[in-house]
Amino acid sequence: MRTIRYILQKEFRQIFRNKTMLPMIFMVPIMQMLLLVFAATYDIKRIDLVVVDHDLSSTSRELIAKFDGIPFFNVVKLEQSEKLAEANLLKDEGDAVLIFPTNFERNLIRDDKTQVQLLINAIESNSAQLIFSYSSNIIAGYNKHIIAEWKGIPEFTPPSQVKISENYWYNPELDYKWFMAPGILAVLVTVIGMFMSGMNLVREKEIGTIEQLNVTPVKKYQFIIGKLVPFWVIGLFDLAFGLTIAWLVFDLPIVGSLFTLFFMAGIYLISVLGLGLFISTVTDTQQQVMFVAFFFMMIFILMGGIFTPVESMPVWAQKIDHLNPIYYFMRIMRMVVLKGSGFFDLLKEFIALLILGITFLSLAIWRYRKTA
């Protein structure tokens, strides 16, 4: 223990003397939480709508007014033809085109039915789905208004009618920032653990001190513990720092137990630090560490369920995701912070992270050669 204590003292002094380490410890959480949460937050605030009205009737004007009265929609242009309206989509000057055909109102009065066409820019699929959903609700609401105005409200409601009341759990306001903040925190812990632990050992190689450490009587496990524990502590500190920022800035509720969250984070950091240490054993420069770690980070993040649900991925990708530690930690963060899940609710994730942590750490210890 005495040897490990001296190694830890040396590592902490070396970390705080490094001019690039301290900015990473304090500035990375601030930048990621204050910028990335807003950048990754998916919420439509403005939908530019182009209208083509061939009917020019009171009914079409009333429906256009319904769209223009919604805060999300902004009628930017009234075009004379579909071709001109589509040109706005090509120039990215409109998000959707609403087309009223000729005899729109006459067909509605004569046949009790009519048609309206909606063209949506679907380059961003999530935006297109939201635009279609909002538009469908507006048109359906206007349809009910017409039925009530033209044919009268039915005096009797059949008793078999089913009424649906909605209640959203865990995020009742559907605030996307609450969904993204735990995910960004998971990315933060991963970046700190993988990059900093890998770069620290390689830096010893670059400045030549690794040879001096190798000829000392320090055992391999003592050296590994001394290298990993400081960044394990720093990772937990940054998690606490990021949670504080999320609570103060986004009013993020922390429903679950902080003890459970930090215990799971400690297990997760073992796997991430082990992977970072393993990368450092197969590389010789900090630049190589950055490239290799960035390769793994991109795969882990994109397949971890931060932006898209893992359940929507192909079956083969979901099976590969079982080797992705950030996939499990992402679920843990959101389940503990937003749902209030306990340890036994996360038992499967705990076992998976424990197995991955032991595997990565064992590979790093096996690959590291302490030679004179």
Side-chain angles (χ1 to χ4, degrees), residues 220 224 228 273-279 281 359-369:
K220 182 190 289 189
I224 297 295
L228 294 187
L273 291 170
L275 182 56
L277 185 62
F278 175 71
I279 292 172
T281 60
T359 303
F360 291 147
L361 198 57
S362 300
L363 285 173
I365 295 173
W366 168 77
R367 184 64 181 78
Y368 176 69
R369 299 285 193 269

Side-chain angles (χ1 to χ4, degrees), residues 207-329:
I207 63 179
T209 55
I210 192 69
E211 286 81 6
Q212 300 175 16
L213 291 171
N214 283 336
V215 297
T216 62
V218 175
K219 293 181 169 53
K220 182 190 289 189
Y221 78 91
Q222 295 172 336
F223 179 76
I224 297 295
I225 292 175
K227 281 292 181 184
L228 294 187
V229 169
F231 298 102
W232 187 82
V233 174
I234 291 171
L236 293 180
F237 169 79
D238 276 338
L239 176 60
F241 191 32
L243 280 173
T244 304
I245 295 174
W247 175 62
L248 293 175
V249 177
F250 309 117
D251 196 24
L252 178 69
I254 304 174
V255 182
S257 168
L258 287 176
F259 175 80
T260 301
L261 181 62
F262 279 88
F263 175 75
M264 291 293 188
I267 301 299
Y268 172 70
L269 276 169
I270 292 176
S271 62
V272 174
L273 291 170
L275 182 56
L277 185 62
F278 175 71
I279 292 172
S280 68
T281 60
V282 298
T283 54
D284 296 319
T285 64
Q286 295 186 63
Q287 188 178 33
Q288 291 176 357
V289 171
M290 292 290 290
F291 278 121
V292 177
F294 183 75
F295 169 77
F296 283 103
M297 279 290 299
M298 288 298 295
I299 296 176
F300 287 168
I301 291 175
L302 293 178
M303 296 188 65
I306 300 178
F307 307 105
T308 56
V310 175
E311 292 76 15
S312 65
M313 299 179 184
V315 177
W316 61 266
Q318 295 183 37
K319 292 181 179 178
I320 293 176
D321 232 2
H322 291 152
L323 301 176
N324 182 2
I326 200 172
Y327 159 69
Y328 299 104
F329 190 56

Side-chain angles (χ1 to χ4, degrees), residues 44 47 72-73 129-139:
I44 294 182
I47 301 171
F72 296 123
F73 283 91
Q129 290 175 358
L130 287 176
I131 293 172
F132 176 76
S133 177
Y134 293 163
S135 303
S136 299
N137 290 335
I138 295 172
I139 295 173

Side-chain angles (χ1 to χ4, degrees), residues 149-162:
E149 183 178 358
W150 291 8
K151 297 187 176 182
I153 302 175
E155 296 181 358
F156 176 72
T157 302
S160 60
Q161 184 179 4
V162 177

Side-chain angles (χ1 to χ4, degrees), residues 104-167:
F104 170 79
E105 185 180 65
R106 190 187 71 176
N107 293 338
L108 182 63
I109 297 173
R110 186 181 64 183
D111 303 328
D112 285 339
K113 63 180 180 180
T114 189
Q115 293 181 343
V116 62
Q117 186 178 17
L118 183 67
L119 306 178
I120 301 174
N121 181 2
I123 290 178
E124 296 183 15
S125 58
N126 291 331
S127 298
Q129 290 175 358
L130 287 176
I131 293 172
F132 176 76
S133 177
Y134 293 163
S135 303
S136 299
N137 290 335
I138 295 172
I139 295 173
Y142 182 66
N143 188 41
K144 293 179 181 179
H145 169 73
I146 290 177
I147 294 174
E149 183 178 358
W150 291 8
K151 297 187 176 182
I153 302 175
E155 296 181 358
F156 176 72
T157 302
S160 60
Q161 184 179 4
V162 177
K163 294 183 179 180
I164 300 175
S165 59
E166 298 177 349
N167 186 14

